[in-house]
Amino acid sequence: MLIEQRTYTLQPGAMPRFLAAYESLGFAAHRDIYERLVGYFVSETGTLNQIVHIWAFDSFEDRNARRDRLQRDPRWQQYMEQVKGLVVQQESRLLRPTGWSPAVPKLNETPR
């Protein structure tokens, strides 16, 4: 199991435009290809203008294969055009759960 935590810091005032583009264009492609969304969040305190999303993968190789597919998807490419210039910084962390960590949803498992 591998978890990716990705954080985007946006231009001040860009949050509504970014989220609207993601919801209407990017999310379907992301969800269809990555499949296991753990959570999608916006910052309320600390560093503002941030979006954090967390996805689960079977392995590093699984993540890389899905990422390659996502980059080729026309829906994703259209979304990327819409948000170009809105992100000022991004950070990606790959995390391994401990043996006693709560379970992360499995492929095709419906969240409760």
Side-chain angles (χ1 to χ4, degrees):
M1 172 71 60
L2 184 74
I3 302 295
E4 179 176 17
Q5 174 188 317
R6 187 167 286 232
T7 303
Y8 296 121
T9 303
L10 305 179
Q11 301 263 0
M15 185 76 71
R17 185 171 156 204
F18 186 95
L19 290 175
Y22 186 74
E23 185 175 6
S24 67
L25 296 170
F27 181 59
H30 221 178
R31 179 199 57 223
D32 292 351
I33 294 170
Y34 276 24
E35 295 182 333
R36 287 188 282 180
L37 176 64
V38 176
Y40 200 95
F41 310 94
V42 297
S43 61
E44 290 290 327
T45 62
T47 304
L48 300 179
N49 303 306
Q50 284 192 326
I51 293 174
V52 178
H53 50 108
I54 302 170
W55 296 85
F57 301 95
D58 290 332
S59 64
F60 184 72
E61 294 76 17
D62 176 45
R63 176 198 174 265
N64 287 347
R66 291 173 187 275
R67 187 158 172 77
D68 288 345
R69 282 179 47 210
L70 184 67
Q71 297 305 314
R72 291 190 308 268
D73 190 289
R75 299 170 298 174
W76 188 255
Q77 292 170 5
Q78 184 181 7
Y79 157 71
M80 292 300 290
E81 280 297 315
Q82 293 290 315
V83 299
K84 188 184 290 184
L86 299 182
V87 176
V88 294
Q89 182 178 343
Q90 68 183 53
E91 178 182 0
S92 181
R93 290 180 182 202
L94 299 179
L95 308 166
R96 289 181 309 140
T98 61
W100 41 266
S101 180
V104 174
K106 294 184 172 149
L107 285 175
N108 301 322
E109 183 177 288
T110 304
R112 296 178 201 181

